[in-house]
């Protein structure tokens, strides 16, 4: 492959790892934020006619989006060819319907915007719930990488007799895949969310067994209240401190600390968003996806 890979700030480690797997060059770009908050972008490589891979996890999209937009616009202005966005975390997937009158369906609006800016998109486990595929809202080619094989491998290597717990019905899609690959039993709880930080989960039914280590798995850890309430439920049912695994380490405000204090024995995430809890590396799965996408030109 002869593409050049560029990283938005915070994505440099993953971009370097992808460049290593794909044997391609990392492009140099200067980002600067002026005192008034405006963004500056300068590309230091020749990009005319080149295929571009752009790595940018888009958690906290309010602050990430303009630098991303300015970089892609500059690349196009300078004559770059096809731009594939590798956004291991794809935001705005949860507002997928009008829950209350007057609300916007921001999943759709965000998808429309991104589809106008880049030519293709690769992401990891987007929060598909009411939409069943990204193609329902994105008009560009998209590919989804599943974190399940690497999570299952991590569990298989590190935990002797795991019991996997999904905090809500949405988690069943990835939990069942992980359970099958890790050959572990699992239970899905029911979640009731009344507000951003007001969550409760149903009681666990699986009988406690002394030698099983509980492992809670979810896609996104944002306020961490889903995880915190699940940890509390397991602890009050007499389970040992559980391991918490999330795909996307958003960790808003002090939620990482709060989850630790709630009684998680350890917190492990995939490297879709750079965070100290990253222990599960998806760079090989992502580069394989880039490679396959390049082969069939989709
Ligand atoms: C939603 O259903 C997702 O799968 C997660 O459970 C949710 O996004 C976690 O959010 P929080 O950490 O804010 O509870």
């Amino acid at each position: 492959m002869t593409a050049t890979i560029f990283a938005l700030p915070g994505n440099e480690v993953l971009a370097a790892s992808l460049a290593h797997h794909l044997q391609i060059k990392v492009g140099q770009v200067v980002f600067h934020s002026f005192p008034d908050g405006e963004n500056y972008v300068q590309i230091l490589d020749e990009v005319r006619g080149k295929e571009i891979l752009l790595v940018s996890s888009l958690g906290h999209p309010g602050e990430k989006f303009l630098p991303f937009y300015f970089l892609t616009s500059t690349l196009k202005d300078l004559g770059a060819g096809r731009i594939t966005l590798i956004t291991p975390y794809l935001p705005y997937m949860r507002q997928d319907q009008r829950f209350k009158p007057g609300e916007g369906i921001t999943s759709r609006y965000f998808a429309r915007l991104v589809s106008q800016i880049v030519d293709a998109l690769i992401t990891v486990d987007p929060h598909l719930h009411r939409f069943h595929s990204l193609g329902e809202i994105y008009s560009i080619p998209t590919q989804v990488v599943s974190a399940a094989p690497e999570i299952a491998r991590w569990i298989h290597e590190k935990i002797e007799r795991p019991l996997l717990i999904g905090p809500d019905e949405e988690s069943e899609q990835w939990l069942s895949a992980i359970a099958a690959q890790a050959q572990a039993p699992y239970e899905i709880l029911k979640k009731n969310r009344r507000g951003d930080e007001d969550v409760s989960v149903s009681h666990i039914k699986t009988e406690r067994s002394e030698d099983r280590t509980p492992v809670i798995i979810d896609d996104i850890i944002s306020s961490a209240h889903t995880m915190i309430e699940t940890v509390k439920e397991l602890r009050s049912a007499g389970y040992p401190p559980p391991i918490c695994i999330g795909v996307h380490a958003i960790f808003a405000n002090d939620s990482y600390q709060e989850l630790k204090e709630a009684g998680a024995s350890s917190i492990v995430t995939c490297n879709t968003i750079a965070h100290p809890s990253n222990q599960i590396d998806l760079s090989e799965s992502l580069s394989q996806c880039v490679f396959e996408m390049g082969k069939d030109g989709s």
Side-chain angles (χ1 to χ4, degrees):
M1 177 177 248
T2 54
T4 304
I5 194 162
F6 285 92
L8 267 284
N11 297 269
E12 295 84 353
V13 174
L14 182 58
S17 180
L18 291 174
H20 170 75
H21 287 300
L22 294 163
Q23 294 289 291
I24 59 173
K25 183 176 188 256
V26 179
Q28 300 304 308
V29 52
V30 177
F31 291 98
H32 176 67
S33 183
F34 292 109
D36 60 2
E38 292 187 3
N39 293 289
Y40 170 91
V41 169
Q42 182 193 15
I43 295 165
L44 303 179
D45 289 67
E46 174 56 56
V47 294
R48 181 162 298 279
K50 296 248 173 78
E51 177 169 359
I52 305 294
L53 301 174
L54 190 59
V55 187
S56 178
S57 241
L58 290 171
H60 297 287
E63 64 197 57
K64 302 271 174 60
F65 202 83
L66 271 183
F68 156 64
Y69 176 65
F70 290 151
L71 178 57
T72 51
S73 301
T74 311
L75 283 163
K76 283 188 178 162
D77 252 2
L78 296 176
R82 175 183 159 106
I83 301 178
T84 299
L85 169 65
I86 303 173
T87 181
Y89 174 66
L90 184 63
Y92 283 113
M93 289 303 295
R94 288 176 288 176
Q95 186 75 31
D96 55 1
Q97 74 170 20
R98 208 183 308 285
F99 297 97
K100 293 184 203 146
E103 283 180 352
I105 306 169
T106 51
S107 300
R108 277 193 190 283
Y109 314 153
F110 189 75
R112 197 184 302 150
L113 204 54
V114 171
S115 299
Q116 287 165 7
I117 295 174
V118 294
D119 302 302
L121 177 148
I122 296 174
T123 190
V124 176
D125 289 333
H127 190 83
L128 289 167
H129 185 203
R130 288 166 194 91
F131 296 120
H132 298 105
S133 74
L134 290 179
E136 287 176 46
I137 48 175
Y138 281 80
S139 58
I140 50 174
T142 56
Q143 289 290 338
V144 169
V145 170
S146 166
E150 291 305 324
I151 294 177
R153 190 209 302 257
W154 188 92
I155 291 172
H156 193 70
E157 283 170 4
K158 310 270 182 194
I159 307 167
E160 220 162 283
R161 283 175 54 76
L163 166 66
L164 311 185
I165 318 284
D168 55 26
E169 284 155 344
E170 285 138 272
S171 65
E172 175 138 28
Q173 47 186 304
W174 40 89
L175 207 85
S176 54
I178 294 167
Q181 289 170 54
Q183 297 182 327
Y186 74 94
E187 180 177 339
I188 305 290
L189 307 184
K190 284 197 168 58
K191 177 168 83 179
N192 185 11
R193 182 185 285 282
R194 292 166 294 273
D196 291 347
E197 303 194 351
D198 186 5
V199 172
S200 55
V201 295
S202 59
H203 293 305
I204 184 157
K205 294 195 183 104
T206 308
E207 214 162 285
R208 188 168 60 86
S209 135
E210 292 298 331
D211 61 345
R212 288 255 173 219
T213 303
V215 183
I216 308 170
I217 304 178
D218 203 358
D219 59 340
I220 301 168
I221 313 181
S222 178
S223 72
H225 277 264
T226 300
M227 280 285 181
I228 289 171
E229 292 311 317
T230 312
V231 170
K232 286 184 182 163
E233 162 56 24
L234 295 180
R235 296 296 283 140
S236 66
Y239 280 81
I243 295 169
C244 295
I245 301 182
V247 178
H248 305 295
I250 301 262
F251 289 114
N253 306 319
D254 296 326
S255 55
Y256 182 54
Q257 191 55 30
E258 287 167 16
L259 180 53
K260 278 186 183 167
E261 285 164 12
S265 74
S266 61
I267 305 170
V268 173
T269 59
C270 302
N271 59 343
T272 61
I273 297 174
H275 187 268
S277 60
N278 291 168
Q279 282 192 47
I280 301 173
D281 180 18
L282 300 183
S283 59
E284 210 170 322
S285 312
L286 277 166
S287 47
Q288 187 59 32
C289 179
V290 173
F291 184 71
E292 297 296 331
M293 207 172 184
K295 258 199 327 203
D296 66 15
S298 57

